[in-house]
Amino acid sequence: MKKIITLTMTIALLLVMTVSLAGCGGDESATADPVSLVDVTTEQGISLKLPSDLVKQDNGGYANMETGDSASFGVTEIAGTPLSSATEEDVLALYQSKHDDVVVTSFENGIQINGKEALVSQVNLTTPGGNAIILTLVMVTDDTNNYIVNFIYGKDKTDSALYKNLQACIDSITIAGTPDSTATSAQVGTSVKDDFSEYLYNNFGTVFEPEDRAIQEIYTEAALTADSKILAKALSDTLPAKNNALLEKLKAYTPQTTEVQEVHNLFIQAVELRKDAYAQLVEVMTQPATEAEVEAAFAVLDESDAKIEGFLTKAESMKKDLGV
């Protein structure tokens, strides 16, 4: 299932975290208003009807910036795991990793949408910003690619056009077959952008960087005391524990694209070098050591700092290139 929904995870989770919604309530069974629907064809080869108040965005999705209603799209090649193997537990696990109050309210697999095998699942959840939303995941396959549509609206948006016309939108979905090379290339680029944005703002910025900064502050504070015993204690107790905890989190995180993984690896290498540096520094500070041995220990710490600088430089360059 992981291979099937890798792109879905990137698109759906990022969109959930960036769309601002509030409130609660809502019943999907409200009467649809077909007059408000317009025909749309996406670059991924997905054709469907959408409410006319959803405006196309730079990322290829459609959104109403006032209500927060949105629809996003993706396509990914089938990598040996058929859509029919996806389960309700897979969908639940996907969203529980990032959100609170996750409840899968409906799940259907093996159904047909305009002659194509499909999966439709609806999920209630609360975003990290405290917004209660309803997300409907639709996946349609042509046995070569899985085509993905995500509909999102607030639980209190029972008067919105998307809420009223959701079933009509789902029923209208058709796929044109394998996307052309231009659409495929655009989708790959979007995937890297979304993956890096997820990494930068929801992992590095909120977890990795604050913990790394705390480690460096503890080291600096101990070093500024000019007391070798205080520094040695920090290097043997507090700092290794915090550094190892950060290293475990870094190694547990797996970016979805090779480009982001390469940048992430620089950070891992820096923290691993710092682990070695702390061990060597403790040794030269607690046992007789030559000047060369002391310099060698600090050289490892300098190498770690250089790796971090390299990581930050690369990340800043990617941020500018991808426009995130």
Side-chain angles (χ1 to χ4, degrees):
M1 178 58 185
K2 184 176 181 181
K3 292 181 179 178
I4 294 177
I5 60 177
T6 296
L7 182 57
T8 307
M9 184 183 301
T10 303
I11 296 174
L13 293 185
L14 183 62
L15 187 56
V16 170
M17 288 182 283
T18 55
V19 173
S20 176
L21 298 170
C24 60
D27 180 1
E28 183 184 346
S29 62
T31 303
D33 179 10
V35 176
S36 64
L37 298 181
V38 295
D39 292 320
V40 168
T41 298
T42 75
E43 65 182 13
Q44 294 84 9
I46 302 170
S47 296
L48 75 165
K49 294 182 181 296
L50 288 176
S52 56
D53 64 347
L54 298 186
V55 179
K56 189 173 183 179
Q57 306 297 305
D58 291 341
N59 64 3
Y62 288 75
N64 182 322
M65 303 310 291
E66 293 183 1
T67 65
D69 291 358
S70 66
S72 63
F73 311 95
V75 60
T76 182
E77 291 184 6
I78 296 175
T81 308
L83 180 62
S84 58
S85 68
T87 66
E88 181 175 340
E89 288 71 26
D90 292 323
V91 175
L92 181 64
L94 169 64
Y95 295 105
Q96 279 184 330
S97 65
K98 292 290 183 183
H99 305 288
D100 297 324
D101 309 320
V102 179
V103 178
V104 178
T105 57
S106 65
F107 179 88
E108 293 181 287
N109 198 353
I111 63 174
Q112 295 283 312
I113 297 180
N114 294 313
K116 298 294 184 181
E117 181 184 354
L119 176 157
V120 179
S121 184
Q122 191 165 88
V123 183
N124 291 4
L125 57 85
T126 302
T127 70
N131 300 313
I133 69 169
I134 296 176
L135 181 149
T136 302
L137 166 66
V138 182
M139 300 179 70
V140 182
T141 184
D142 63 0
D143 297 325
T144 300
N145 296 293
N146 291 320
Y147 297 80
I148 305 151
V149 183
N150 290 304
F151 300 102
I152 294 177
Y153 56 85
K155 289 186 69 176
D156 65 335
K157 305 300 181 182
T158 57
D159 59 346
S160 75
L162 181 59
Y163 171 86
K164 294 178 179 179
N165 293 282
L166 179 62
Q167 191 59 53
C169 293
I170 294 173
D171 292 342
S172 71
I173 295 174
T174 60
I175 53 178
T178 304
D180 61 32
S181 59
T182 302
T184 302
S185 297
Q187 184 58 47
V188 171
T190 300
S191 179
V192 174
K193 180 177 180 179
D194 290 347
D195 190 29
F196 185 62
S197 183
E198 166 73 9
Y199 176 76
L200 190 63
Y201 296 113
N202 295 305
N203 291 278
F204 174 74
T206 59
V207 180
F208 305 150
E209 192 278 334
E211 292 192 15
D212 179 70
R213 184 173 65 250
I215 291 169
Q216 296 190 48
E217 289 175 352
I218 292 171
Y219 174 82
T220 300
E221 183 178 343
L224 288 175
T225 64
D227 188 323
S228 60
K229 291 183 179 180
I230 292 177
L231 180 56
K233 181 174 177 57
L235 288 168
S236 60
D237 296 335
T238 310
L239 288 169
K242 289 186 175 295
N243 198 72
N244 289 341
L246 173 58
L247 187 58
E248 287 182 6
K249 292 178 182 179
L250 291 172
K251 289 184 174 181
Y253 184 82
T254 304
Q256 301 300 314
T257 58
T258 56
E259 292 86 347
V260 179
Q261 183 67 63
E262 289 175 359
V263 178
H264 184 57
N265 286 343
L266 292 176
F267 202 174
I268 293 176
Q269 292 165 14
V271 177
E272 286 179 330
L273 281 169
R274 190 163 59 196
K275 177 182 178 180
D276 294 339
Y278 288 163
Q280 292 184 37
L281 286 170
V282 169
E283 185 174 347
V284 299
M285 293 182 69
T286 57
Q287 300 178 20
T290 65
E291 183 177 346
E293 289 173 332
V294 174
E295 290 179 352
F298 277 104
V300 178
L301 190 59
D302 289 341
E303 186 179 355
S304 171
D305 291 341
K307 281 283 186 183
I308 289 179
E309 286 300 319
F311 161 80
L312 293 174
T313 299
K314 179 65 174 178
E316 183 63 28
S317 177
M318 283 187 67
K319 182 179 177 182
K320 291 180 180 179
D321 292 343
L322 295 173
V324 300

